[in-house]
Amino acid sequence: MAFDLLIKGGTLPDGSRADIGITGTTITAVEPEITADAGEVIDAAGKLVSPPFVDPHFHMDATLSYGTPRINASGTLLEGIALWGELRAVLTPEEVVDRALEYCRLAVSKGLLAIRSHVDVTDPRLAGVEGLLEVREKVRDVIDLQLVAFPQDGWYRSPGAEENLIRALDMGVDIVGGIPHFERTMEAGTASVRRACEIAAERGLMVDLHCDESDDPMSRHIETLAAETIRHGLQGRVVGSHLTSMHSMDNYYVAKLLPLIAEAQVAAVPNPLINITLQGRMDTFPKRRGLTRVKEMRALGIEVGFGQDCTKDPWYPLGGAEMLDVAFMGLHVGQFTSPDEMRSCFEMVTETSARIMGLDYGLGPGKPASLLVLDAPDPVEAIRTRPARLAVISKGRVVARTRPAETELSLSI
Ligand code: FE2
């Protein structure tokens, strides 16, 4: 049998060695040794061959806008939201498309081929929605882009937000979003979680809320989200993003909360780069980290994926579609230092996030032929060195190649 593309001699994330044969857009063979002909052979001997990186939490309508119309001087979440409001008022779909496509090109070069992006629906013009729906179509052959209708300024706090959100869903946005901790009162936050789950149940959609992105240990909307998930039969289709308040919650309360989240099969998506920079801002010392309880959730079988959240936008001046930076930061802040724990950080930017997003994904026969050849021998070394993506293959096509940087030392030691 001849293949269109053959990846020879690579090491898979689980440490096994395999050749991977690709026919058209599909992986058709994964075997220890494939000798058949192929249109193109990529030598991956000694290199890590991984399924693509997956970012389960991003804001593509805001990306690459850093400094427009001004810089976030305090660096806080709240100034970021205010600044975004200024930019949102003058957004055009064309400008959103330009920035988003620039980001997508960067993402492809980094092997990031699946992204869940929130898109703000606060402004009734829905310029971001219009722009990102166009982008979703434009990148469809390369990047799996999911969109979440996100009322940034609050479901009830922002006039017309629910109406705008429903219009966005009618236009083709995939997922119901929300931001319960940002409503005016706890009660309004609770009501917004209920309404989001109702709409998702009615329409057969998934839910992904910015949930409890706060250092306030009494911000407990995740509890309502889990209970409403069970009430509506939405198990496996709901995500609580951030969940930073859980860092500060009372341990006794968390001992009840985590089994409820597990029962509801609600997934968690913390965003380590952003959580470590935005949380704990009102603390003196000791200063809280703000990363949610990742190890404890994983121990109960709760799916946890690491998201990137931001790249050069009102909330974060850095970033660059580099999911290994996200894994690196998650590893440090969450203290994932045993070999198994370090490997789990790689899983949280690949397989686990793919499951959370419901993607058809992986390196088995019959799966979409999307994979990476990284210039590293294994997942832990990949996190340590953030290596070149020697080849990025999306749906059977080589879409990017990067040569490793070379350094010449001009000294003798
Ligand atoms: Fe976010």
Side-chain angles (χ1 to χ4, degrees):
M1 178 182 176
F3 297 100
D4 295 322
L5 186 57
L6 182 58
I7 319 297
K8 285 285 289 178
T11 305
L12 308 189
D14 67 2
S16 63
R17 301 282 291 274
D19 292 352
I20 298 177
I22 292 169
T23 309
T25 60
T26 307
I27 294 174
T28 42
V30 180
E31 295 167 18
E33 180 81 43
I34 296 175
T35 52
D37 291 338
E40 182 183 355
V41 178
I42 294 178
D43 177 12
K47 308 297 182 191
L48 173 62
V49 173
S50 164
F53 292 112
V54 176
D55 182 358
H57 188 112
F58 194 63
H59 294 264
M60 206 179 275
D61 50 356
T63 196
L64 302 180
S65 69
Y66 180 68
T68 315
R70 61 186 172 84
I71 281 168
N72 180 342
S74 67
T76 59
L77 174 60
L78 292 183
E79 184 173 344
I81 291 174
L83 205 168
W84 167 243
E86 294 171 32
L87 177 56
R88 181 182 57 211
V90 296
L91 278 187
T92 64
E94 295 74 26
E95 189 255 345
V96 171
V97 170
D98 287 348
R99 281 189 288 102
L101 287 180
E102 188 182 346
Y103 180 80
C104 287
R105 288 188 285 272
L106 179 63
V108 169
S109 75
K110 298 286 188 183
L112 171 53
L113 300 184
I115 301 169
R116 175 177 287 184
S117 175
H118 295 254
V119 51
D120 192 357
V121 297
T122 300
D123 188 304
R125 295 180 306 125
L126 297 181
V129 171
E130 197 180 317
L132 290 191
L133 285 169
E134 185 180 330
V135 169
R136 190 179 66 184
E137 282 312 301
K138 281 200 156 102
V139 302
R140 185 176 283 284
D141 289 343
V142 186
I143 296 176
D144 290 316
L145 176 58
Q146 295 182 346
L147 299 176
V148 185
F150 174 49
Q152 169 75 74
D153 288 4
W155 191 293
Y156 293 112
R157 190 168 163 178
S158 167
E162 179 174 315
E163 189 190 327
N164 296 343
L165 180 140
I166 287 172
R167 278 172 49 219
L169 296 176
D170 287 343
M171 287 164 73
V173 170
D174 308 282
I175 297 165
V176 183
I179 186 164
H181 57 278
F182 198 64
E183 302 295 340
R184 290 194 177 92
T185 63
M186 289 285 190
E187 289 75 15
T190 302
S192 75
V193 174
R194 291 205 173 116
R195 194 69 193 112
C197 290
E198 270 171 26
I199 290 172
E202 281 165 18
R203 292 176 170 243
L205 299 177
M206 295 193 280
V207 176
D208 190 333
L209 304 186
H210 282 67
C211 194
D212 304 323
E213 189 182 6
S214 161
D215 293 318
D216 175 5
M218 297 309 291
S219 187
R220 295 175 167 187
H221 297 294
I222 180 60
E223 179 187 85
T224 308
L225 181 60
E228 289 297 296
T229 297
I230 295 167
R231 190 164 80 85
H232 288 288
L234 291 169
Q235 290 92 334
R237 287 162 48 192
V238 175
V239 170
S241 282
H242 291 295
L243 304 178
T244 54
S245 73
M246 197 193 292
H247 184 98
S248 300
M249 284 174 182
D250 171 70
N251 290 332
Y252 193 93
Y253 173 71
V254 172
K256 178 185 173 222
L257 175 65
L258 294 190
L260 173 64
I261 297 172
E263 180 193 354
Q265 297 168 46
V266 169
V269 174
N271 298 281
L273 294 168
I274 305 311
N275 300 154
I276 197 65
T277 46
L278 293 185
Q279 301 306 310
R281 286 276 178 153
M282 293 184 189
D283 292 357
T284 54
F285 291 94
K287 198 181 278 287
R288 287 168 289 178
R289 295 169 182 223
L291 187 70
T292 194
R293 303 194 190 198
V294 179
K295 279 189 195 181
E296 292 74 10
M297 285 195 277
R298 284 174 54 86
L300 288 180
I302 296 165
E303 298 272 39
V304 185
F306 283 152
Q308 184 187 195
D309 207 0
C310 303
T311 285
K312 288 183 72 72
D313 67 13
W315 297 273
Y316 189 56
L318 306 177
E322 177 53 277
M323 293 309 291
L324 288 170
D325 279 352
V326 176
F328 185 86
M329 182 61 76
L331 184 156
H332 282 76
V333 181
Q335 300 176 330
F336 283 83
T337 46
S338 77
D340 278 352
E341 288 172 345
M342 289 192 285
R343 276 191 291 276
S344 76
C345 290
F346 191 85
E347 288 169 18
M348 284 188 271
V349 294
T350 52
E351 290 166 44
T352 322
S353 289
R355 280 200 301 276
I356 290 170
M357 286 176 62
L359 302 175
D360 188 11
Y361 178 92
L363 294 182
K367 294 291 181 186
S370 297
L371 54 90
L372 316 175
V373 182
L374 294 114
D375 190 21
D378 60 55
V380 174
E381 280 294 291
I383 292 174
R384 186 177 76 82
T385 62
R386 276 87 92 210
R389 280 61 167 170
L390 303 172
V392 177
I393 297 158
S394 181
K395 298 170 189 175
R397 201 156 50 108
V398 180
V399 290
R401 294 179 197 266
T402 302
R403 276 184 291 278
E406 277 185 33
T407 304
E408 263 182 52
L409 283 179
S410 53
L411 54 79
S412 60
I413 47 173

